[in-house]
Amino acid sequence: MHAVQFGVNLPASFKMIKPSYQDQKDASIPRATNRGVTSKVICGEAMNQKSKFRSKTPVNFFDFKLEQGAKMVQSVPRGWTTFAYTLHGNCHFGGYFFVQYRCRKGEGIFAL
């Protein structure tokens, strides 16, 4: 089992609001499979699936699994920061080739 947690920097108008939490059970997360790519749409929209998760600032958070040789394109809104956490294998991101390193089992990250 792996877990990923991330923080989102809120706009100034939301900095002092009361913290909130949303729980999502795995079974409630929208999924799609197409041409060797399986996605879990945790937050945002991908592969014609939209998450019910809501945030004060726009966020996309996906869990993609690609079969060997599968290809996919996920658009990213202009000006957004993007990162990919790679658990297994090698990937191409935006023209860059990334070979997953192994400092500790399952650890790999690439930021664009």
Side-chain angles (χ1 to χ4, degrees), residues 41-62:
V41 183
I42 298 161
C43 188
E45 189 171 350
M47 295 178 67
N48 296 316
Q49 298 293 315
K50 190 170 184 174
S51 171
K52 295 178 183 174
F53 184 88
R54 298 292 169 252
S55 65
K56 297 288 184 188
T57 189
V59 174
N60 287 329
F61 188 177
F62 312 120

Side-chain angles (χ1 to χ4, degrees), residues 10-27:
L10 295 173
S13 60
F14 292 121
K15 293 278 187 194
M16 301 308 291
I17 64 173
K18 182 179 177 179
S20 64
Y21 174 81
Q22 294 177 60
D23 185 44
Q24 285 193 85
K25 302 294 184 201
D26 185 63

Side-chain angles (χ1 to χ4, degrees), residues 21-42:
Y21 174 81
Q22 294 177 60
D23 185 44
Q24 285 193 85
K25 302 294 184 201
D26 185 63
S28 71
I29 297 173
R31 291 170 166 73
T33 300
N34 188 13
R35 297 182 184 196
V37 178
T38 300
S39 71
K40 287 172 58 174
V41 183
I42 298 161

